[in-house]
Amino acid sequence: MYQKKMLFTLSAMAAALLLAGCADKLVIASHARLTTLDPVTSTAYVTRSHGYMVYDTLFALDEELRQRPQMVEKWTSSSDLKTWHFQLREGLQWHDGQPVTAEDCVASLQRWGKRDGAGQQLFQNISSISVDDAQRFTIVLKEADVSIIRTLAKVSVNVPFMMPKRLAQADAFSPITEAVGSGPFIYRPERTTADKVVYVRNPNYKPRHDVQSQAAGAKIPGVEVVEWRYYPSQQEAVQKLIGGKVDYVESPSTQLVSLMEGNADITVASTDPLGNVAMARFNHQQAPFNNPGVRRAVLMAMQQDAYMSAALGDARYWRNCYSVFPCGTPLANEAGSEIMKRGDLQAARQALKDAGYDGTPVVVLNPTDTPVMAAFTQVTVELLKELGMTVQVRDMDWATLLEQRERRDSVADGGWSIFHTWWNAVDLSDTSSIAFSGDPQSGWYGWAEDAELEQLRAAAARADGAQKVALAERIQQRLWDIGAFGVLGQFFEPVAFRSDLQGITAPMQFYWGVSRSEE
């Protein structure tokens, strides 16, 4: 049994260390190499974590999931909940020394609204968004929406981070290559290499006066420098932690936990009770998975036990879950999930034949540096071969996969057929998730195309209570009907860190508040 330790937020001692001029450094073994600096164009969690170091948000959620103002000082709405006025806090400035303005924030929201699922649905309901003066802007809605503040407080991918207008005006489908925000840390490209990313404390950051809680409140840095290190081998990352060269390992393999058990200097903790959802994502725009019958045939053969056992091993770290909305979340259901429960190889072979599969190669992207996803890949590859499909595996690291999955080329021209990934459960807990999109232009990688699905998601965006639950079931049924993706199970990876660290948060880690305790 791995050690469980109570998690706690930034203490007064961390603030005292900073005020005393502590020039400490925190070294993180990141789960992936940071290759994309743009948290709008990428759903990669390493890019989201980078965003939280550099940028700030208009609103945020605290540890009790209450929405709280962050860059906003105050806001008001009209009685019909259609007109919303926002005023920024005084004294905010970008890392380049320029003041933060309402014009910057409007441009940031507009760019974010083109890529994020919740942002897309919000902007479908926006009649106008306008700048009133340097500190104020107004959003006018077509229909009343009491949840607009919660949408702007979105805590995970894609987070509505604010950035300067000159960056926010960039094409939403082309990643920016600068990282200039107004957050508690400054990205230092001149100190950054392929496997090391460096952030230094922002001396001009103006924190809020309220207590830090999750993504909200006063973001007071606990150290002067945060350094991310990428290690291709998790074994190496864990050994660096044991040797005191690394302070925090984001995603240690469950098979390595035994190396750290019983070590008083290391804490292994479970930080997310909902965990992650494993997913196999098809390319809907390229053969053979442009055929929904082929996609559904593969789903019929998948068995969650096989995926979870191969990737996680110990049953303490995973569970079967046959809902596209994670088990343990309000919209979880099993509508249409029989297809994922079958695990019937013979029936799948017949379904594949009936769908007209003609031997077209299936190109599988395999991130060899991520053991969990590499294990998912291996299970799928063997399964596809058993079904009689032609399979080609392309080995690469996760950072390269993030680039490759953006390619819409045909398989013959370097495109792909399927890749595996996982989502934090919170990111799939609402119908607005970009993973559920049926829009091939603005949707997620794999580019599902289904007008009925988009109509259902649009209706769900305006619904609540029992109506929302009913629509979630219809959305799930439609996702299974078109074979949008495979859900491979729900799992719970631990984190590991030096035991003298404080400021550890859950379910996501915000590194600005982590510091070392005094003995």
Side-chain angles (χ1 to χ4, degrees), residues 322-324 333-342 476 480:
Y322 300 103
S323 172
V324 302
N333 68 90
E334 293 200 1
S337 295
E338 293 78 12
I339 191 170
M340 284 299 302
K341 293 180 179 179
R342 296 187 67 172
Q476 176 164 299
W480 292 138

Side-chain angles (χ1 to χ4, degrees), residues 438-516:
D439 186 332
Q441 300 305 315
S442 61
W444 197 57
Y445 308 109
W447 310 289
E449 184 171 1
D450 192 78
E452 180 179 339
L453 179 58
E454 285 303 275
Q455 291 170 358
L456 290 170
R457 291 176 70 240
R462 301 187 295 270
D464 56 17
Q467 184 183 20
K468 179 125 182 175
V469 170
L471 283 165
E473 292 180 356
R474 293 178 61 189
I475 288 169
Q476 176 164 299
Q477 180 68 62
R478 188 60 187 169
L479 287 166
W480 292 138
D481 287 347
I482 67 172
F485 48 75
V487 173
L488 310 180
Q490 200 162 337
F491 65 99
F492 312 88
E493 276 203 319
V495 298
F497 51 91
R498 302 294 297 180
S499 296
D500 63 346
L501 292 189
Q502 55 186 6
I504 306 300
T505 56
M508 296 188 311
Q509 184 58 60
F510 301 104
Y511 294 117
W512 63 71
V514 179
S515 63
R516 289 184 177 82

Side-chain angles (χ1 to χ4, degrees), residues 236-312:
E236 182 179 3
V238 168
Q239 290 297 341
K240 293 289 186 181
L241 177 68
I242 293 172
K245 301 298 185 182
V246 160
D247 297 302
Y248 189 106
V249 178
E250 288 188 329
S251 184
S253 168
T254 56
Q255 299 173 6
L256 298 176
V257 167
S258 61
L259 297 177
M260 298 175 282
E261 289 179 325
N263 188 330
D265 294 328
I266 296 174
T267 296
V268 180
S270 176
T271 61
D272 188 353
L274 293 176
N276 309 297
V277 177
M279 178 181 289
R281 181 64 167 182
F282 302 112
N283 188 334
H284 291 234
Q285 299 300 312
Q286 302 294 338
F289 292 131
N290 59 348
N291 181 336
V294 173
R295 299 193 298 265
R296 285 178 53 83
V298 173
L299 295 186
M300 290 170 62
M302 289 177 163
Q303 297 183 47
Q304 291 189 355
D305 284 356
Y307 284 95
M308 293 291 100
S309 295
L312 282 305

Side-chain angles (χ1 to χ4, degrees), residues 8 130 150 258:
F8 41 86
S130 58
R150 180 160 290 273
S258 61

